[in-house]
């Protein structure tokens, strides 16, 4: 009975990432043992519930994009498991993986380089639909046109080329391409950062509408905390390849525990000239991931750095229900 | 439930219920230049590329339409011998020492009748050559063979280059290593000496008629020439592979074959057209060189290179000094053709390159 | 494939080819552009322009720069793009003016016009003036200043900080060399030793640890935040009276952005200069600016003090911009979004440019472009919505 329950619980999560590691060797042809690595993602674990949105925040170079690409196996991973709908993606052979690809899609950051310049819009959206036979041939055109309408694209755009569109429209095309494959899970890799503020709001709303209508699960990768706060249910904060804090949106924003999360939250400029906030200004830059600090990676910029921080790597521990932090400030027992 | 949602999306997304007319009006006000026209516009902006285009059109008309006209009006053929008799003064001098020990010079003036090497005339605009062929007509036929050969060679070179470069660039790893080393080997071979040797070898094989020799040699040039194209294609593909739309193609699960032929190759096309155009001039030069050395197009047939070879100083200064009508036009045509292709190639490169947009 | 498309095109309703210019229209545009460009280029190429021609008087001596009805157009292949279309605003001494707007609204072109850096020959200042009060008390009308004179103003009195610090530093020279060059170029009697000393002191003053070490490094060896600090140090080298910061923090991370903004504020206090801060981030504006200018499609649609703009925005675009930024307050509601797209600034009809995206459009809005209406000594907006000026003209002395 217990095991049955377990299975059911497991099924609630569409994606589980366990101890994901992705190291890039620094020199390709070095002999001997002393190979140096860039630890782009170092032991990251999280789960995403079906139909929810998880936000992944962090500064550039913290490995959030690498996490996204590792999940989709756009490159091989060094270690760990990516369990999608009960299957370990890291172990699936490439031909089978290709068949599974329509189920998990990605929306890219740069709407200018993510659309092939020599294909008309209809074909960009429909190419993979044809290849995977998502819909019967007779319904192909109506399916594509429906998807385009869902994403706010006029049917007459079907034969136009991407260069004729603005950034916001292109991002809609990009979303339509993902949605046309009827996916379950969509990774959004900074989909808003190249767009204007007024267009950002349109795209956020579009993504929310689509989620409500079709029940997509999103992994929303962004550096913009206010957007993540708006769209996510759970939030993971990354720093230099590691997850430092993860939890429900409300808990993270109301009660940030990790000093980095606190600094990150306080650094967001507020659109009100009269609110002067106590900003925690972090000193220094993000250390190089080639040679990260020992122990806690954040200690070089942390105000509360203690002796133990340089010696031991803090573990991610649950302090409240659904709120995990990796910091020595809170007891590690 | 769904309908309500739909309404929300519709109104938000298309959102211009009341303002549809304005939206349309704005869209009508803003129009763009179609990409093809943009390229054409930039191409024709440059005087040099227009000059190149005119040069090449001229050479094409000259070589392909010209022979038809000549045939129709005068009935001249490529290998038709015209015996035009003309009286020519012949001077001979000789030095000898007389029996008296003095030096004497012997002068003899006689008249002979020459049937070849006619000077330019109304019937033969550039005269005839040492074999009595009409030079003007042969220039046309020579151009024909040069252009046809160079187009075939470039087409094959590009074809092989795309496949090899595409494989190397897309699959990377050991495929890349293998193909690129092959490219290195091929491009380090000295072309001309090998061609000379090959030509001698082919001539000694009796099964191959001499008029087919040039095709074998050109096949060999193709075999050596694809390396340049392969390098360019590989470089382009390595660059394009990092573009996000290639990653998007992977995430949508598109097969490798489609990725190469529908995403990568079309995007390398502009670059390839440019290199191919620039390469055409090179092949024409090669063909001329071979013909000049006498190992290209065999004798009775016309080729610009072999026409220049008539003036080869090793065979005497006479033609070089006294009959410029035999070799200068062929030289000019070679220069015009090669320059024309270069100008067009440069013009195309600037036209295709969006960074050149002013 | 192309052929197939061509035939299938007609099957989908509403497809038309009107989006492409015809050959004749294209020719007409080219011809006209060539004529206009030639005229302006000839104007600029004149030598030995007398000083009287480009010296003028400021309207208010407390301003360092006054933009007056500035028009900067780009004569492109598809038509005339009115990038800056009648922009009027002042930059007072010692104040920070924030310019907000979406990409392509003309905010960057405005600042480039001030530097005479608009990309010629397609881009030309066709009308209006930019009055600049130089340190020597003279007042220049920038569009008329000849090129050689401009060289002395640029970099010394007005300096610029760009968005992408990697591309605005030359990758083949060391940081030190690039900084020294600025000093040697603009300061009379500067020796390499003095220059080096000044550069290192300046690097130190923008909070760079171990400045003598950074002095000998190449740009690629520094992080993004460091490079932006170096850019700011470079901008400060010659004691500028005005710093133009064009999206200075857009390429940076939030925590680094906080550092740089702090630095900019500090720097402004120190040199008592003015800053023109161009950004699309309302948060940054709220924090940094004293005065705000909101631009849309080449025109100023609202300007005022930062409090007026944020607490009492008048123009629907400003209001929409504020509301479309997600913040903690409206957690579960739908996010407000301004519908539609920014219109392309070619052949704009003569009505409010925001009309197609406006929620509150009225019949009058289809008429001519609304005039600037004054609401307070500093607050202006161009919209019919609030009717006639509620601010009596003779009340200027109040406040």
């Amino acid at each position: 009975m217990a095991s049955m329950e377990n299975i059911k619980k497991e099924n609630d999560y569409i994606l589980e990432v366990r101890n994901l590691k992705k190291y890039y060797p620094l020199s390709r042809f070095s002999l001997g043992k002393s190979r140096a690595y860039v630890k782009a993602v170092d032991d990251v674990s999280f789960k995403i519930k079906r139909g929810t949105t998880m936000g992944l925040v962090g500064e550039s170079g913290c490995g959030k994009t690498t996490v996204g690409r590792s999940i989709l196996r756009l490159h091989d991973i060094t270690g760990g498991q990516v369990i999608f709908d009960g299957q370990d993606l890291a172990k699936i052979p490439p031909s089978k993986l290709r068949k599974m690809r329509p189920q998990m899609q990605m929306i890219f950051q740069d709407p200018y380089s993510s659309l092939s310049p020599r294909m008309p819009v209809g074909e960009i959206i429909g190419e993979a639909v044809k290849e995977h036979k998502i819909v019967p041939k007779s319904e192909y055109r109506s399916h594509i046109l429906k998807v385009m309408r869902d994403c706010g694209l006029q049917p007459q755009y079907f034969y136009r080329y991407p260069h004729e569109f603005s950034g916001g429209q292109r991002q809609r095309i990009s979303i339509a391409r993902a949605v046309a494959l009827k996916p379950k899970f969509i990774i959004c890799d900074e989909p808003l950062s190249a767009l204007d503020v007024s267009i950002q709001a349109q795209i956020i709303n579009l993504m929310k509408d689509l989620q409500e209508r079709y029940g997509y699960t999103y992994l929303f990768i962004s550096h913009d905390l206010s957007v993540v706060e708006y769209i996510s249910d759970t939030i993971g904060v990354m720093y230099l390849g590691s997850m430092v804090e993860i939890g429900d949106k409300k808990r993270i924003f109301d009660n940030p525990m990790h000093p980095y999360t606190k600094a990150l939250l306080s650094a967001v400029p507020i659109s009100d000239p009269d609110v002067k906030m106590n900003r925690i200004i972090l000193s220094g830059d993000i250390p190089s991931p080639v040679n990260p600090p020992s122990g806690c990676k954040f200690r070089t910029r942390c105000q509360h750095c203690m002796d133990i921080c340089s010696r031991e790597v803090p573990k991610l521990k649950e302090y409240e229900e659904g709120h995990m932090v990796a910091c020595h400030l809170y007891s590690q027992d | 439930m769904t309908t309500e949602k739909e309404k929300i999306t519709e109104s938000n997304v298309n959102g211009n219920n009341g303002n549809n007319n304005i939206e349309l009006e704005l869209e009508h006000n803003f129009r763009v230049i179609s990409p093809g026209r943009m390229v054409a516009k930039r191409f024709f902006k440059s005087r040099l590329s227009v000059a190149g285009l005119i040069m090449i059109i001229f050479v094409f008309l000259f070589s392909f339409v010209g022979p038809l006209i000549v045939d129709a009006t005068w009935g001249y053929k490529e290998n038709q011998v015209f015996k035009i008799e003309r009286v020519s003064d012949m001077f001979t001098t000789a030095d000898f020492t007389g029996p008296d020990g003095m030096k004497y010079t012997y002068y003899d003036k006689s008249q002979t009748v020459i049937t070849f090497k006619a000077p330019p005339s109304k019937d033969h605009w550039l005269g005839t050559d040492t074999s009595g062929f009409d030079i003007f007509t042969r220039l046309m036929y020579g151009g024909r063979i040069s252009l046809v050969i160079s187009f075939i060679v470039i087409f094959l070179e590009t074809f092989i280059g795309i496949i090899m470069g595409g494989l190397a660039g897309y699959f990377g790893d050991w495929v890349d290593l293998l193909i690129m080393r092959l490219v290195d080997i091929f491009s380090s071979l000295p072309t001309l000496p090998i061609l000379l040797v090959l030509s001698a070898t082919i001539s000694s094989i009796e099964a191959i008629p001499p008029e087919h020799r040039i095709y074998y040699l050109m096949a060999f040039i193709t075999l050596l020439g694809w390396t340049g194209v392969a390098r360019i294609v590989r470089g382009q593909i390595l660059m394009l592979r990092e573009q996000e739309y290639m990653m998007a193609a992977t995430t949508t699960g598109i097969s490798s074959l489609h990725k190469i032929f529908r995403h990568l190759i079309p995007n390398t096309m502009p670059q390839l057209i440019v290199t191919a155009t620039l390469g055409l001039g090179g092949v024409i030069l090669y063909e001329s060189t071979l013909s000049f050395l006498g190992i290209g197009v065999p004798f009775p047939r016309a080729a610009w290179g072999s026409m220049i070879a008539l003036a080869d100083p090793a065979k005497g200064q006479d033609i070089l000094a006294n009959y410029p009508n035999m070799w200068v036009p062929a030289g000019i045509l070679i220069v015009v053709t090669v320059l024309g292709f270069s100008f067009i190639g440069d013009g195309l490169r600037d036209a295709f390159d969006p960074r050149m947009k002013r | 494939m192309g052929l197939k498309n061509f035939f299938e095109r007609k099957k989908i309703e509403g497809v038309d080819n009107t989006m492409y210019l015809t050959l004749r229209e294209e020719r007409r545009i080219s011809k006209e552009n060539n004529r206009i460009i030639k005229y302006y280029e000839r104007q600029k190429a004149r030598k030995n322009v007398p000083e009287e021609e480009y010296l003028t008087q400021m309207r208010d001596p407390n301003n360092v720069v006054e933009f007056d009805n500035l028009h900067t157009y780009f004569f492109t292949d598809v038509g005339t793009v009115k990038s800056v279309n009648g922009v009027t605003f002042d930059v007072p001494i010692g104040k920070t003016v924030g310019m907000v707007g979406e990409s392509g609204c003309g905010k960057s072109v405005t600042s480039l016009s001030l530097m005479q850096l608009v990309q010629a020959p397609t881009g030309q200042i066709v009308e209006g003036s930019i009055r600049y009060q130089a340190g020597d008390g003279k007042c220049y009308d920038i569009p008329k200043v000849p090129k050689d004179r401009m060289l002395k103003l640029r970099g010394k009195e007005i300096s610029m900080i760009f968005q992408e610090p990697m591309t605005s530093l030359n990758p083949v020279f060391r940081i030190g060399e690039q900084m020294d060059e600025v000093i040697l170029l603009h300061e009379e009697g500067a020796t390499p030793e003095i220059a080096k000393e000044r550069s290192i002191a300046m690097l130190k003053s923008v909070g760079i640890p171990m400045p003598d070490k950074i002095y000998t490094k190449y740009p690629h060896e520094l992080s993004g935040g460091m490079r932006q600090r170096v850019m700011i140090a470079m901008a400060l080298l010659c004691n500028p009276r005005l710093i133009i910061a064009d999206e200075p923090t857009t390429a940076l991370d939030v925590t680094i952005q906080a550092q740089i903004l702090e630095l900019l504020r500090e720097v402004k206090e120190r040199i008592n200069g003015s800053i023109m801060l161009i950004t699309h981030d309302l948060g940054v504006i709220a924090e940094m600016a004293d005065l705000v200018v909101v631009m849309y499609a080449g025109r100023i649609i609202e300007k005022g003090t930062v409090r007026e703009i944020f607490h009492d925005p008048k123009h629907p675009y400003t209001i929409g911009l504020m509301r479309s930024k997600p913040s903690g307050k409206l957690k579960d509601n739908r996010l407000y979004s301004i519908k539609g797209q920014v219109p392309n600034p070619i052949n704009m009809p003569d009505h409010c440019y925001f009309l197609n995206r406006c929620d509150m459009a009225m019949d009058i809005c289809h008429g001519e472009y609304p005039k600037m209406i004054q609401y307070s000594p500093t607050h202006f907006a161009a919209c019919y919505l609030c009717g006639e000026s509620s601010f009596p003209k003779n009340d200027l002395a109040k406040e």
Side-chain angles (χ1 to χ4, degrees):
Chain A
M1 206 53 202
S3 67
M4 274 295 281
E5 237 178 347
N6 229 347
I7 289 166
K8 202 159 182 250
K9 217 176 171 186
E10 282 291 298
N11 266 342
D12 263 8
Y13 293 98
I14 189 161
L15 180 85
E16 186 177 355
V17 174
R18 283 190 203 144
N19 308 92
L20 181 71
K21 291 189 185 91
K22 172 68 187 171
Y23 299 168
Y24 290 101
L26 266 182
S27 52
R28 244 171 103 193
F29 297 109
S30 75
L31 298 165
K33 286 158 264 170
S34 61
R35 288 180 79 169
Y37 290 102
V38 178
K39 298 185 175 180
V41 178
D42 196 9
D43 207 359
V44 165
S45 309
F46 59 88
K47 294 184 209 172
I48 306 178
K49 259 196 194 130
R50 211 175 280 276
T52 64
T53 303
M54 168 156 170
L56 203 54
V57 220
E59 294 176 282
S60 56
C62 74
K64 54 191 193 301
T65 298
T66 314
V67 167
R69 292 184 179 173
S70 300
I71 292 172
L72 291 188
R73 253 191 72 187
L74 290 173
H75 47 227
D76 287 327
I77 57 176
T78 314
Q81 288 173 298
V82 178
I83 296 160
F84 175 79
D85 239 359
Q87 279 177 293
D88 188 353
L89 291 182
K91 294 204 182 84
I92 289 180
S95 58
K96 211 174 159 205
L97 182 69
R98 199 165 73 77
K99 296 255 156 59
M100 273 186 73
R101 288 231 182 256
Q103 295 180 28
M104 18 178 206
Q105 283 304 305
M106 188 152 177
I107 298 165
F108 294 87
Q109 171 175 9
D110 184 357
Y112 290 87
S113 78
S114 63
L115 303 176
S116 181
R118 270 160 220 285
M119 267 193 191
V121 170
E123 208 167 312
I124 289 176
I125 298 171
E127 193 189 10
V129 175
K130 260 186 208 158
E131 185 144 342
H132 292 285
K133 302 191 179 61
I134 301 287
V135 290
K137 218 170 178 183
S138 54
E139 289 169 29
Y140 169 72
R141 171 148 298 173
S142 59
H143 174 67
I144 301 295
L145 289 177
K146 178 175 172 291
V147 168
M148 284 173 70
R149 202 176 54 239
D150 279 352
C151 296
L153 296 164
Q154 320 263 336
Q156 68 260 34
Y157 294 166
F158 197 89
Y159 285 118
R160 294 202 184 164
Y161 285 84
H163 71 97
E164 293 160 24
F165 295 95
S166 64
Q169 299 279 56
R170 281 159 164 260
Q171 205 58 294
R172 286 177 193 272
I173 298 170
S174 193
I175 292 173
R177 170 174 59 193
V179 169
L181 293 173
K182 301 186 175 167
K184 294 176 188 162
F185 173 60
I186 302 178
I187 294 182
C188 316
D189 188 358
E190 306 246 17
L192 307 175
S193 62
L195 305 177
D196 281 319
V197 186
S198 72
I199 307 297
Q200 276 187 11
Q202 292 178 3
I203 299 291
I204 295 178
N205 281 339
L206 171 64
M207 289 176 60
K208 273 218 143 174
D209 289 338
L210 289 171
Q211 183 173 38
E212 275 175 49
R213 207 187 309 175
Y214 298 110
Y216 299 138
T217 310
Y218 289 132
L219 175 64
F220 196 92
I221 300 169
S222 178
H223 66 273
D224 189 338
L225 280 162
S226 48
V227 172
V228 169
E229 181 187 8
Y230 178 74
I231 203 163
S232 310
D233 300 302
T234 51
I235 288 174
V237 183
M238 281 185 75
Y239 186 77
L240 219 60
S242 305
M243 196 71 88
V244 294
E245 187 163 358
I246 183 167
D248 291 348
K249 165 174 77 180
K250 221 174 155 39
R251 292 194 203 274
I252 296 255
F253 274 87
D254 293 350
N255 178 26
M257 290 174 82
H258 198 282
Y260 177 66
T261 316
K262 285 181 187 164
L264 210 55
L265 286 178
S266 82
V268 181
I270 300 251
S271 301
D272 191 336
D274 287 336
V275 176
K276 290 281 171 259
M277 51 190 316
N278 299 327
R279 176 162 292 168
I280 308 166
I281 294 208
L282 291 177
S283 58
D285 285 324
I286 306 170
S288 150
V290 183
N291 190 13
S294 63
C296 174
K297 287 173 181 165
F298 184 60
R299 72 178 163 85
T300 48
R301 300 172 76 192
C302 185
Q303 293 173 318
H304 312 284
C305 183
M306 301 174 290
D307 289 345
I308 189 174
C309 296
S310 61
R311 276 184 277 116
E312 264 178 57
V313 182
K315 287 187 208 72
L316 204 56
K317 293 219 69 170
E318 192 158 9
Y319 289 93
E320 331 169 51
E321 202 200 328
H323 190 177
M324 311 213 310
V325 186
C327 182
H328 287 295
L329 281 178
Y330 312 97
S331 71
Q332 285 280 306
D333 307 316
Chain B
M1 190 66 198
T2 341
T3 47
E4 193 184 301
K5 285 264 164 53
E6 223 150 66
K7 230 196 241 157
I8 294 172
T9 338
E10 292 274 303
S11 69
N12 175 262
V13 154
N14 294 326
N16 29 32
N17 306 334
N19 294 337
N20 228 332
N21 296 335
I22 305 159
E23 198 74 27
L24 274 178
E25 185 191 330
L26 287 173
E27 210 164 276
H28 273 277
N29 270 330
F30 171 61
R31 285 183 292 171
V32 291
I33 298 180
S34 69
R37 183 109 52 81
M38 198 74 214
V39 168
K41 193 184 163 86
R42 273 183 261 154
F43 180 80
F44 287 110
K45 223 175 208 170
S46 144
R47 297 237 168 89
L48 270 189
S49 34
V50 175
L53 196 65
I54 292 171
M55 283 150 99
I56 293 303
I57 290 176
F58 164 72
V59 171
F60 262 82
L61 290 179
F62 182 75
S63 322
F64 289 95
V65 183
L68 304 179
I69 295 172
V70 168
D71 200 20
T73 39
W74 291 296
Y76 294 170
K77 299 272 187 313
E78 185 182 5
N79 297 332
Q80 195 174 347
V81 178
F82 299 93
K83 293 195 173 161
I84 299 159
E85 297 190 353
R86 70 185 159 107
V87 182
S88 161
D89 290 338
M90 229 169 82
F91 291 97
T92 17
T93 59
D95 293 342
F96 63 94
T97 317
D100 51 355
M102 298 281 282
K103 285 199 171 170
Y104 290 91
T105 307
Y106 163 85
Y107 291 97
D108 177 61
K109 188 187 172 196
S110 64
Q111 288 195 323
T112 47
V113 175
I114 308 179
T115 45
F116 302 132
K117 297 201 271 193
S121 63
K122 222 180 91 201
D123 287 337
H124 302 281
W125 289 1
L126 291 172
T128 59
D129 67 1
T130 48
S131 315
F133 299 142
D134 180 63
I135 294 174
F136 190 66
T137 313
R138 279 175 72 80
L139 280 177
M140 295 175 171
Y141 283 99
R144 222 181 228 197
I145 200 157
S146 291
L147 290 172
V148 168
I149 285 180
S150 58
F151 267 91
I152 293 174
V153 166
I154 285 294
F155 180 77
L156 291 177
E157 264 183 13
T158 312
F159 187 72
I160 302 175
I162 287 178
I163 302 235
M164 299 299 258
L167 290 176
Y170 183 77
F171 289 106
D173 226 5
W174 64 266
V175 181
D176 185 27
L177 210 69
L178 192 79
I179 292 177
M180 287 332 278
R181 292 303 79 77
L182 208 65
V183 166
D184 287 343
I185 291 169
F186 273 115
S187 48
S188 62
L189 291 176
T191 319
L192 205 56
I194 294 182
L195 281 174
L196 290 173
V197 173
L198 204 68
S199 161
T201 320
I202 292 172
S203 307
S204 69
I205 301 172
E206 281 178 12
I208 301 172
E211 59 266 29
H212 287 178
R213 191 177 54 194
I214 185 71
Y215 299 115
Y216 286 93
L217 293 181
M218 283 295 153
F220 184 72
I221 290 181
T222 311
L223 207 61
L224 293 185
W226 61 269
T227 55
V229 181
R231 276 213 180 105
I232 288 170
V233 172
R234 173 182 174 266
Q236 282 274 308
I237 286 186
L238 281 184
M239 187 198 78
L240 293 171
R241 213 171 54 161
E242 299 304 311
Q243 297 279 322
E244 277 184 345
Y245 62 81
M246 285 313 295
M247 209 176 284
T250 312
T251 55
T252 47
I254 287 169
S255 66
S256 298
L257 215 64
H258 273 181
K259 270 197 278 183
I260 296 180
F261 286 102
R262 296 183 53 182
H263 290 256
L264 290 175
I265 301 292
N267 282 305
T268 56
M269 264 321 172
Q271 263 263 337
L272 283 178
I273 292 172
V274 172
T275 21
T277 318
L278 291 172
L280 279 169
V283 179
I284 286 181
L285 282 182
Y286 251 118
E287 186 271 334
S288 308
T289 314
L290 291 178
S291 298
F292 180 83
L293 292 173
I295 56 176
V297 181
F299 164 68
R301 304 202 53 195
W304 290 342
S306 48
M307 293 174 81
I308 295 176
L310 290 177
D312 186 357
K315 294 174 195 153
Q317 301 282 342
D318 183 40
I319 292 175
L320 189 65
N322 299 331
Y323 296 96
N325 61 318
M326 280 194 198
W327 54 274
V328 170
I332 290 175
L333 277 174
I334 293 178
V335 171
V336 165
T337 316
V338 175
L339 264 187
F341 279 128
S342 293
F343 287 162
I344 293 182
D346 280 342
L348 283 177
R349 182 174 47 211
D350 293 352
F352 280 133
D353 191 349
R355 278 167 299 184
M356 293 296 293
K357 206 171 179 177
R358 283 196 305 134
Chain C
M1 206 62 215
L3 206 65
K4 202 173 130 209
N5 272 349
F6 183 79
F7 288 120
E8 280 185 14
R9 258 189 126 104
K10 291 183 187 121
K11 286 190 199 154
I12 289 197
E13 227 181 299
V15 168
D16 56 344
N17 283 321
T18 49
M19 55 171 310
Y20 290 128
L21 289 167
T22 61
L23 204 62
R24 188 181 296 165
E25 284 171 306
E26 196 190 309
R27 287 236 181 82
R28 202 202 64 228
I29 291 170
S30 294
K31 218 170 171 184
E32 217 153 275
N33 285 351
N34 282 342
R35 193 172 53 80
I36 296 169
I37 288 170
K38 218 178 243 170
Y39 169 76
Y40 285 107
E41 287 298 302
R42 207 174 293 151
Q43 286 280 323
K44 274 195 247 170
R46 286 187 308 153
K47 294 225 165 74
N48 301 325
V49 184
E51 229 180 25
E52 307 86 66
E53 234 175 86
Y54 57 83
L55 287 185
T56 92
Q57 286 299 313
M58 297 300 275
R59 187 159 21 87
D60 182 348
N62 288 328
N63 292 337
V64 62
V65 177
E66 289 169 356
F67 290 88
D68 198 346
N69 197 26
L70 180 70
H71 291 257
T72 304
Y73 293 175
F74 285 86
F75 298 96
T76 67
D77 289 335
V78 289
T80 305
V81 178
K82 298 182 178 176
S83 264
V84 178
N85 192 2
V87 159
T88 307
F89 71 98
D90 304 333
V91 182
I93 293 172
K95 292 271 178 10
T96 301
V97 175
M99 294 181 77
V100 227
E102 294 178 275
S103 50
C105 74
K107 53 192 196 303
S108 285
V109 178
T110 306
S111 69
L112 290 174
S113 303
L114 171 59
M115 296 287 268
Q116 266 197 14
L117 284 176
V118 180
Q119 207 178 21
T122 42
Q124 303 285 353
I125 300 174
V126 294
E127 202 190 325
S129 55
I130 306 170
R131 290 185 289 271
Y132 169 70
Q133 193 181 23
D136 52 8
K138 283 179 184 169
C139 171
Y140 296 92
D141 189 4
I142 298 283
K144 293 188 186 130
V145 175
K147 276 177 189 166
D148 50 334
R149 191 74 194 75
M150 197 62 208
L151 285 179
K152 293 193 181 115
L153 291 175
R154 220 164 20 210
K156 181 165 194 272
E157 301 210 329
I158 313 171
S159 52
M160 205 157 177
I161 302 166
F162 294 94
Q163 173 176 2
E164 185 39 74
M166 188 65 226
T167 49
S168 40
L169 288 169
N170 191 334
V172 298
F173 292 114
R174 292 173 199 279
I175 300 290
E177 290 169 307
Q178 302 191 38
M179 293 185 72
D180 291 354
E181 197 191 348
V182 178
I183 300 177
L184 294 172
L185 203 69
H186 287 298
E187 303 274 301
E188 280 171 34
T191 61
E193 290 76 38
I194 297 176
K196 181 174 180 183
E197 207 175 296
R198 279 269 299 279
S199 301
I200 291 182
M202 194 52 80
L203 284 174
K204 198 172 173 196
S205 75
V206 294
I208 289 178
M210 293 181 289
D212 34 349
K213 221 170 168 183
I214 298 292
Y215 182 85
T216 58
K217 286 207 166 158
Y218 286 99
H220 70 263
E221 296 175 285
L222 307 180
S223 66
M226 264 321 180
R227 280 199 290 263
Q228 202 57 293
R229 278 174 195 268
V230 170
M231 277 307 291
I232 292 174
M234 265 173 97
L236 293 178
L237 275 175
C238 289
N239 300 320
R241 295 166 53 78
L242 175 68
I243 298 174
I244 301 171
D246 191 350
E247 308 259 4
T249 56
T250 310
L252 303 176
D253 287 316
V254 218
T255 58
I256 309 294
Q257 166 175 302
Q259 294 174 3
I260 297 292
L261 291 182
E262 194 68 34
L263 174 67
L264 269 178
R265 236 194 316 255
E266 196 188 302
V267 156
K268 200 195 91 185
E269 293 295 309
R270 199 164 56 198
I271 62 170
N272 191 30
S274 312
I275 296 182
M276 245 173 93
L277 180 70
I278 299 165
T279 178
H280 64 267
D281 190 338
L282 286 169
V284 172
I285 290 282
E287 246 178 61
M288 298 288 296
D290 303 307
L291 298 163
V292 183
V293 172
V294 186
M295 282 186 76
Y296 187 79
R299 288 185 185 244
I300 293 181
I301 49 131
E302 188 162 4
K303 58 184 176 184
T305 64
V306 68
R307 281 196 180 75
E308 283 163 346
I309 297 289
F310 279 89
H311 294 324
D312 186 23
K314 298 286 185 197
H315 199 285
Y317 176 67
T318 321
I319 298 169
L321 217 51
M322 307 263 178
R323 283 175 65 197
S324 60
K325 187 124 174 94
S327 72
K329 280 168 214 153
L330 27 84
K331 258 171 204 161
D332 293 315
N333 305 341
R334 251 186 95 79
L335 191 58
Y336 176 80
S337 71
I338 304 172
K339 67 204 173 186
Q341 310 285 322
V342 184
N344 209 294
I346 292 181
N347 298 332
M348 287 299 289
D350 184 36
H351 55 60
C352 178
Y353 295 167
F354 190 61
L355 177 58
N356 62 319
R357 304 179 71 188
C358 191
D359 279 337
M360 294 172 250
M362 304 173 292
D363 286 342
I364 189 172
C365 297
H366 291 262
E368 64 180 66
Y369 196 93
K371 292 193 176 56
M372 272 285 182
I373 296 168
Q374 192 169 22
Y375 295 98
S376 84
T378 46
H379 195 180
F380 296 81
C383 184
Y384 286 116
L385 201 60
C386 298
E388 284 303 303
S389 170
S390 55
F391 175 76
K393 282 247 159 47
N394 52 4
D395 237 28
L396 273 166
K398 222 172 138 188
E399 160 122 3

